[in-house]
Amino acid sequence: MPSTEAPPGAKRWVPPHPQSIEELKSAAADCHGCELYEDATQTVFGRGAPRARMVFVGEQPGDVEDQRGLPFVGPAGRLLREAVDDAGIDPGDLYITNSVKHFRFELRGRRRVHQTPGPAHIASCRPWLVAEFALLQPELVVLLGATAGKALIGPSFRVTQQRGRLMPWPASAQHPEDFPVAQIQALATIHPSAVLRADDRDTAYRGLVDDLKVAAAAIAN
Ligand code: URA
Ligand code: SF4
């Protein structure tokens, strides 16, 4: 039966003074901040350069990521790497993570069908994102799709309206106090999975690359 109680949230599992992403990642492996850990295979933490200038934030791990324990290693990840390359972003400048760190799905027969995480999952998992930002101190955050926008800006975020332009962040968040991190810039774009689902894939892909070029230009110096 679905519980109506708010989940406890990840905060109590986040170490108070983490020294490295590895330390956060191993603490997150035990997180029971919401119910998603119960059915998923494992926590899928972020990964990338320890001094990344850009942090990419997706939605949640997919089926492949859940099994391999790494973010963006399935079809959406392949497309994202290609787009990063076409936008002229150095992959060595990147760290990639998700708004929610366990795979949410529904079983249909033997198939695990992706389910979009809800506001309670996003809120429960936010302490991990905050801890990642606090450690990495990037210059720019790239929000991939609606869930990342809702997690880092707020529920009124609309990717169609806010994509492709630089925003001050966390100043532009509805509750900037949720993010006790340095002021940087944010850029929203569509999720690579939306490109894979689009009727006109070429146009959707070009749109993603054009947005990522704005991110590339923002950190070029
Ligand atoms: N989609 C996401 O948002 N994140 C992943 O890690 C994989 C697919
Ligand atoms: Fe913890 Fe996030 Fe997993 Fe929920 S989804 S159990 S808050 S790591």
Side-chain angles (χ1 to χ4, degrees):
M1 216 172 63
S3 161
T4 49
E5 262 175 55
K11 201 161 172 101
R12 79 171 76 144
W13 284 271
V14 179
H17 304 291
Q19 299 299 306
S20 67
I21 290 292
E22 281 311 307
E23 187 184 342
L24 284 181
K25 181 177 173 165
S26 56
D30 299 325
C31 184
H32 292 184
C34 72
E35 82 287 1
L36 295 184
Y37 77 92
E38 291 171 12
D39 295 328
T41 308
Q42 57 191 319
T43 308
V44 178
F45 210 69
R47 76 157 165 177
R51 284 186 187 75
R53 300 177 71 189
M54 274 193 217
V55 171
F56 277 46
V57 181
E59 183 195 64
Q60 64 170 352
D63 195 0
V64 180
E65 289 80 12
D66 171 77
Q67 293 173 55
R68 291 194 41 202
L70 294 168
F72 282 104
V73 289
R78 268 195 299 283
L79 188 130
L80 180 61
R81 270 193 299 284
E82 199 182 309
V84 160
D85 191 47
D86 285 344
I89 295 171
D90 179 351
D93 281 338
L94 290 190
Y95 178 91
I96 302 187
T97 192
N98 282 303
S99 306
V100 170
K101 287 168 170 65
H102 274 104
F103 178 35
R104 184 182 193 212
F105 62 92
E106 194 179 80
L107 266 185
R108 297 213 190 122
R110 292 171 59 182
R111 237 159 56 84
R112 305 195 302 169
V113 180
H114 165 277
Q115 288 225 287
T116 305
H121 305 115
I122 293 172
S124 295
C125 218
R126 183 181 292 128
W128 292 118
L129 264 186
V130 170
E132 287 171 295
F133 279 104
L135 255 181
L136 294 163
Q137 304 218 21
E139 294 166 42
L140 182 82
V141 52
V142 175
L143 315 176
L144 299 170
T147 298
K150 288 182 198 315
L152 276 87
I153 304 281
S156 70
F157 174 83
R158 295 290 175 272
V159 71
T160 46
Q161 288 165 25
Q162 282 162 272
R163 68 181 291 186
R165 57 188 165 84
L166 295 168
M167 304 176 271
W169 185 84
S172 57
Q174 270 153 3
H175 294 287
E177 69 278 8
D178 285 348
F179 305 96
V181 295
Q183 287 295 330
I184 56 170
Q185 300 194 91
L187 180 119
T189 187
I190 53 171
H191 193 286
S193 300
V195 176
L196 294 173
R197 284 194 307 267
D199 293 330
D200 182 353
R201 262 199 205 192
D202 288 349
T203 303
Y205 180 76
R206 274 199 302 276
L208 171 63
V209 172
D210 285 348
D211 290 346
L212 293 182
K213 283 181 180 165
V214 176
I219 68 152
N221 53 33

